[in-house]
């Protein structure tokens, strides 16, 4: 993933503000890359530029060497299939069971009907939730909901997983379980992970490298060890 000189502007109360200012970074294939910084720093906005949920005002987005910045329609859908996303508040469909939540993602990508049940079963095994297929989200803990969201995000075998404050609504025990699952997925499936957080403990435990953002700018990028040890 290459973000090259990205700028994003928003209108707030009739005035323009720069949410992301000249941000550049490269995430290598197979990395667990973190973006940290205080609330309002522009982390969410920058990550949403990667899958063009937030088109930049200027700058380029490259995925596997391909400039996708101007992609629309079918071309954009094709690159978005390479990327799964999970959120702080899980964003599950409350009126659908765990099975149905994951099946919807498979159907949206034209998975053959006769393969759906087997594929859902496989995905639930990956997140240690095989016994919850017929449960509704309201009857799951926060950690279990996030594991369903991870299974759904993995439904179409993405190369990249984008995680926006994915552990921020969870207690320590569930946070550690999500960290273990993401590490395992990264290791076994070679999925590149980009993870935003304001939780420094998560950053220290999970990330290979870190970008630090403040007021829309990337102020530092480096190995996790260096970011945490150098003044
Ligand atoms: P972070 O993820 O670091 O908390 P965000 O990327 O969510 O930061 O927000 C960065 C800035 O951009 C904030 O000032 C926020 O209010 C503003 N912002 C984000 N999204 C929008 C939007 N859709 N419209 C207007 N302002 C926005
Ligand atoms: P985060 O937890 O990442 O800081 P926010 O709560 O700031 O997220 O933003 C949640 C959603 O609201 C995002 O889709 C963001 O783009 C949008 N948003 C944030 N700030 C504003 C704003 N000032 N005006 C309009 N939309 C906003």
């Amino acid at each position: 993933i290459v973000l090259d000189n990205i700028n994003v502007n928003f209108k707030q109360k009739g005035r323009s503000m720069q949410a992301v200012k000249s941000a550049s970074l490269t995430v290598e294939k197979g990395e667990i890359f973190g973006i940290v910084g205080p609330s309002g720093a522009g982390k969410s906005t920058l990550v949403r530029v990667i899958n063009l949920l937030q088109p930049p005002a200027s700058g380029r987005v490259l995925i596997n060497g391909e400039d996708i910045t101007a992609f629309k329609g079918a071309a954009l859908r094709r690159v978005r299939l390479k990327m799964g996303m999970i959120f702080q508040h899980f964003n599950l469909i409350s009126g659908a069971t765990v099975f149905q939540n994951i099946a919807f993602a498979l159907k949206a990508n034209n998975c053959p009907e006769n393969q759906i049940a087997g594929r859902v079963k496989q995905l639930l095994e990956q997140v240690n939730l095989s016994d919850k297929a017929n449960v509704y989200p309201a009857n799951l803990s926060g950690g279990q909901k996030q594991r369903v969201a991870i299974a759904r995000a993995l439904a179409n075998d993405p190369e990249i997983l984008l995680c926006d404050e994915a552990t921020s609504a969870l207690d320590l025990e569930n946070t550690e379980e999500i960290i273990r699952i993401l590490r395992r997925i990264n290791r076994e499936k070679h999925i590149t992970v980009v993870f935003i957080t304001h939780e420094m403990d998560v950053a220290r435990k999970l990330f290979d490298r870190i970008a630090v953002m403040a007021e829309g700018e990337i102020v530092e990028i480096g190995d996790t060890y260096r970011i945490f040890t150098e003044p």
Side-chain angles (χ1 to χ4, degrees):
I1 303 166
V2 175
L3 299 180
D4 176 25
N5 205 13
I6 298 292
N7 287 283
V8 178
N9 308 316
F10 289 119
K11 272 227 153 50
Q12 283 185 3
K13 298 180 185 133
R15 303 176 71 184
S16 180
M17 60 86 64
Q18 272 187 289
V20 175
K21 304 173 193 166
S22 306
S24 296
L25 60 79
T26 299
V27 180
E28 302 296 339
K29 203 170 178 58
E31 246 187 332
I32 302 184
F33 189 90
I35 303 176
V36 304
S39 182
K43 305 182 296 296
S44 265
T45 304
L46 187 63
V47 160
R48 290 152 59 90
V49 168
I50 296 173
N51 56 10
L52 297 177
L53 280 178
Q54 175 61 60
S58 63
R60 297 185 312 150
V61 184
L62 285 80
I63 306 292
N64 294 333
E66 183 175 45
D67 186 339
I68 68 161
T69 322
F71 278 19
K72 294 192 164 54
L76 181 55
R77 278 195 295 280
R78 177 176 60 74
V79 292
R80 278 191 181 151
L81 276 176
K82 295 181 188 173
M83 307 188 215
M85 190 159 185
I86 60 174
F87 305 90
Q88 179 170 7
H89 298 296
F90 325 120
N91 298 9
L92 299 176
I93 301 166
S94 58
T97 64
V98 167
F99 181 95
Q100 290 164 338
N101 265 278
I102 298 168
F104 283 142
L106 292 164
K107 285 178 188 164
N109 187 32
N110 304 319
C111 177
E113 195 69 39
N114 64 0
Q115 291 178 17
I116 286 177
R119 185 80 184 113
V120 171
K121 182 164 178 279
Q122 209 179 32
L123 287 159
L124 285 176
E125 279 165 11
Q126 282 173 26
V127 295
N128 311 329
L129 274 184
S130 299
D131 54 335
K132 299 291 183 193
N134 297 315
V135 172
Y136 285 87
N139 297 318
L140 296 174
S141 72
Q144 291 169 334
K145 284 182 205 169
Q146 194 60 293
R147 279 143 66 192
V148 176
I150 292 172
R152 181 180 60 181
L154 297 178
N156 297 311
D157 273 326
E159 294 173 30
I160 296 168
L161 185 61
L162 306 175
C163 312
D164 188 347
E165 299 280 3
T167 55
S168 301
L170 304 179
D171 61 20
L172 182 62
E173 195 180 326
N174 282 304
T175 294
E176 303 222 307
E177 166 115 50
I178 297 300
I179 289 175
R180 272 198 301 278
I181 289 172
L182 292 177
R183 280 199 162 285
R184 194 179 71 220
I185 289 165
N186 168 259
R187 193 175 59 239
E188 291 177 359
K189 299 169 119 7
H190 311 289
I191 293 180
T192 307
V193 177
V194 180
F195 193 113
I196 303 172
T197 189
H198 66 277
E199 301 173 296
M200 290 306 129
D201 199 42
V202 171
R204 200 190 312 256
K205 287 175 182 161
L206 184 60
F207 302 156
D208 299 322
R209 286 195 306 136
I210 299 182
V212 183
M213 285 190 82
E215 296 176 13
E217 290 182 85
I218 296 176
V219 293
E220 210 178 348
I221 299 184
D223 291 343
T224 301
Y225 178 79
R226 189 178 71 72
I227 295 282
F228 278 103
T229 51
E230 282 179 18

